[in-house]
């Protein structure tokens, strides 16, 4: 079974962390409606959606991707780079312990799940304001015994590695070349007018992308990849994309 762990939009999201965007008012009701549509989209892509406990006072708690890196053998609970986000991990660890052995990223390391891209047994970890070299080293140490490689990557001008590049099939990446050099893979480049379009969520039934990026979506479809779209515009004001609102895992 495919499982998606999600968490509802907290009222405190109006005070979310922002790194590269100017603060704009966030309509919590609208964000919640969009988040529900996102969960529905995940269900239509074959996922059973399970809700993590609400964290109404943790502003970025809807962005659950950043709290863990989950592979078939293990879940690595992160230590988010923003100290305001560290308390998000407790309930995630508890929920994941039902499905996976756990490992933990520990001080002085920091790591956000948004900085980790998995392509098969190859992982790429972005050095960012949130993820440091200790974080990447600890991730590597936890995963190497299970046959995973972890390559450190550098980006520019964006929050997370997966703001700049994601996988849209087993072998094709969707990339914003202004923010990262990502050689070695067949690639689709985002339309230059849609810099945030590189964040797509890969599922076995196709990719999920924000409807705000029609030009890039057309490029992905042209390569024969199925694309489902959602309106994620309100969560985008909190610097979130489609990968950040879920943790996806295979369970028995
Ligand atoms: C933050 O700055 O931590 C949140 N406002 C946005 C997190 C987005 N997460 C992600 O892309 N994985």
């Amino acid at each position: 079974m495919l499982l998606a762990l999600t968490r509802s939009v907290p009222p405190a999201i109006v005070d979310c962390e922002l790194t590269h965007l100017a603060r704009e008012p966030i309509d919590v009701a609208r964000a919640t409606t969009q988040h529900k549509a996102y969960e529905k989209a995940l269900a239509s892509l074959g996922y059973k959606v399970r809700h993590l406990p609400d964290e109404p006072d943790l502003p970025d708690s809807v962005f659950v991707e950043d709290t863990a890196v989950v592979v078939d053998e293990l879940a690595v609970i992160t230590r988010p780079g923003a100290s305001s986000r560290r308390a998000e991990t407790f309930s995630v660890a508890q929920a994941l312990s039902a499905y996976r052995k756990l490992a933990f990223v520990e001080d002085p390391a920091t790591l956000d799940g948004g900085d980790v891209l998995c392509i098969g047994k190859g992982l790429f970890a972005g050095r960012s304001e949130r993820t440091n070299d200790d974080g990447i080293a600890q991730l590597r140490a936890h995963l190497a015994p299970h046959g995973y490689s972890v390559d450190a990557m550098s980006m520019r001008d964006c929050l997370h590695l997966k703001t700049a590049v994601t996988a849209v099939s087993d072998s094709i990446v969707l990339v914003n070349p202004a923010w990262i050099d990502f050689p070695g893979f067949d690639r689709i480049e985002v339309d230059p007018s849609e810099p945030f379009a590189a964040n797509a969520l890969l599922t076995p039934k196709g990719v999920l992308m924000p409807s705000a990026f029609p030009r890039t979506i057309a490029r992905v479809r042209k390569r024969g990849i199925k694309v489902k779209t959602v309106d994620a515009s309100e969560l985008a004001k909190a610097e979130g994309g489609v990968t950040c609102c879920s943790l996806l895992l295979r369970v028995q």
Side-chain angles (χ1 to χ4, degrees), residues 83-221:
S83 55
S84 68
R85 301 202 55 188
R86 300 217 174 118
E88 294 174 30
T89 59
F90 302 126
S91 56
V92 173
Q94 198 177 17
L96 283 172
S97 68
Y99 309 109
R100 293 289 190 275
K101 227 172 72 176
L102 301 184
F104 292 86
V105 171
E106 279 162 13
D107 191 16
T110 61
L111 182 80
D112 275 15
D115 277 319
V116 182
L117 172 63
C118 304
I119 305 180
K121 287 240 162 186
L123 275 72
F124 299 88
R127 290 187 192 93
S128 70
E129 288 184 31
R130 304 293 177 83
T131 295
N132 63 19
D133 282 328
D134 287 318
I136 296 172
Q138 289 190 19
L139 181 70
R140 186 180 294 122
H142 288 309
L143 293 180
H146 301 286
Y148 294 89
S149 61
V150 177
D151 288 347
M153 307 296 298
S154 296
M155 305 82 73
R156 39 193 181 266
D157 304 328
C158 63
L159 177 60
H160 286 130
L161 174 70
K162 279 189 278 190
T163 326
V165 60
T166 55
V168 289
S169 80
D170 291 349
S171 57
I172 304 176
V173 295
L174 177 61
V175 63
N176 178 341
W179 289 344
I180 192 167
D181 305 315
F182 200 81
F185 283 90
D186 191 3
R187 63 204 269 134
I188 300 168
E189 293 189 359
V190 299
D191 187 277
S193 67
E194 299 173 345
F196 286 93
N199 185 263
L201 182 65
L202 178 59
T203 80
K205 290 190 184 168
V207 296
L208 186 62
M209 292 179 68
S211 50
F213 307 126
R215 294 188 171 92
T216 304
I217 289 167
R219 290 183 180 200
V220 175
R221 286 189 170 138

Side-chain angles (χ1 to χ4, degrees), residues 16-19 60 63 65-66 85 112 114 130 159-160 238-241 243-244:
C16 67
E17 295 282 342
L18 287 174
T19 309
D60 287 298
F63 302 122
E65 166 181 61
D66 293 316
R85 301 202 55 188
D112 275 15
R130 304 293 177 83
L159 177 60
H160 286 130
E239 231 168 327
T243 65
C244 21

